[in-house]
Amino acid sequence: QKEVEQNSGPLSVPEGAIASLNCTYSDRGSQSFFWYRQYSGKSPELIMSIYSNGDKEDGRFTAQLNKASQYVSLLIRDSQPSDSATYLCAVKRSGGGADGLTFGKGTHLIIQP
Amino acid sequence: DVKVTQSSRYLVKRTGEKVFLECVQDMDHENMFWYRQDPGLGLRLIYFSYDVKMKEKGDIPEGYSVSREKKERFSLILESASTNQTSMYLCASSETSPSYEQYFGPGTRLTVT
């Protein structure tokens, strides 16, 4: 079974610092990668998608993809207490067409005021 | 904004009952998905559908069935609910290529007693 691995945390980061979240995946054929944020008791909310090697920036968030190393990361700049949540890395299964995502178990991020 | 709604936020059913969970999306998305989320196990794909009346099994389809009679509506059916089906159920929808970004509904927390 294809897997997505994340450090479960908790990852504690001071307010205003950069939070770095990492994810590795086993399906070498995967082409689509996603980061979701999930607050306690809520459903996952899409933050970013990335499809090509390199960096993709959206506001305070930067996603990084390295397909050769099978590695995806999310950087959160100027971390705010409202960023405290569980962050889920998700990978679309290879093979084309519609298919579900394989999710990591998430990293619990705590931003300390 | 993408809107995915689910019929109930909380549901309590008895063992052996037939349970229907409904999901509606308003973005004309081709693909719809059902996941369950459990502590320590993360999000797991139950079933997905890429077109009306089309369905595919995910990773954990046992004990479940689905129905998609209209493009905007995707139902999950527990034929005979069991206590091990107590979980958070999440519906999602997505476009087809190239995005595949999935958007989640608010979830249904089902308790089977």
Side-chain angles (χ1 to χ4, degrees):
Chain A
Q1 179 134 5
K2 308 298 184 183
E3 294 184 345
V4 177
E5 300 287 342
Q6 296 180 255
N7 188 321
S8 62
L11 175 65
S12 187
V13 173
E15 184 175 357
I18 296 175
S20 178
L21 304 163
N22 304 314
C23 169
T24 58
Y25 61 95
S26 64
D27 186 350
R28 189 169 286 279
S30 296
Q31 299 294 323
S32 305
F33 307 86
F34 308 90
W35 282 100
Y36 286 83
R37 178 175 62 199
Q38 187 173 26
Y39 294 113
S40 180
K42 301 294 186 181
S43 62
E45 172 191 9
L46 180 67
I47 300 175
M48 292 193 69
S49 56
I50 187 166
Y51 307 99
S52 303
N53 280 329
D55 294 0
K56 179 182 177 183
E57 187 174 317
D58 184 0
R60 295 187 297 113
F61 298 95
T62 299
Q64 299 175 317
L65 174 61
N66 184 326
K67 291 183 183 178
S69 300
Q70 296 175 245
Y71 179 90
V72 193
S73 65
L74 180 70
L75 301 178
I76 307 174
R77 289 183 300 281
D78 188 24
S79 297
Q80 303 296 310
S82 59
D83 294 326
S84 297
T86 296
Y87 288 81
L88 303 173
C89 174
V91 176
K92 183 185 176 300
R93 293 109 188 266
S94 59
D99 203 342
L101 303 179
T102 299
F103 283 83
K105 293 180 181 176
T107 297
H108 184 204
L109 176 66
I110 299 171
I111 306 300
Q112 294 183 324
Chain B
D1 275 355
V2 176
K3 186 80 169 179
V4 181
T5 58
Q6 295 183 229
S7 50
S8 305
R9 290 300 310 273
Y10 301 93
L11 208 53
V12 179
K13 295 293 181 181
R14 297 234 174 141
T15 301
E17 280 193 82
K18 191 167 186 175
V19 181
F20 293 86
L21 303 181
E22 294 198 323
C23 175
V24 178
Q25 52 95 4
D26 67 357
M27 286 303 294
D28 202 35
H29 283 169
E30 294 87 355
N31 309 317
M32 296 188 74
F33 308 84
W34 277 106
Y35 295 87
R36 62 178 284 178
Q37 186 173 30
D38 302 286
L41 296 176
L43 274 139
R44 294 178 291 167
L45 180 65
I46 304 172
Y47 266 98
F48 65 98
S49 168
Y50 53 90
D51 200 352
V52 175
K53 297 190 184 296
M54 305 304 290
K55 61 186 179 185
E56 293 285 346
K57 293 179 180 179
D59 299 322
I60 51 165
E62 297 78 18
Y64 303 95
S65 62
V66 291
S67 172
R68 193 168 182 198
E69 296 296 321
K70 294 185 177 181
K71 188 175 185 179
E72 68 271 18
R73 190 179 297 268
F74 192 35
S75 300
L76 179 70
I77 303 156
L78 287 66
E79 296 290 343
S80 177
S82 63
T83 55
N84 62 12
Q85 293 178 310
T86 291
S87 186
M88 170 69 89
Y89 289 88
L90 292 158
C91 175
S93 72
S94 80
E95 296 178 321
T96 306
S97 179
S99 169
Y100 294 111
E101 292 176 344
Q102 290 189 17
Y103 297 90
F104 284 85
T108 295
R109 183 162 296 280
L110 172 68
T111 302
V112 183
T113 61

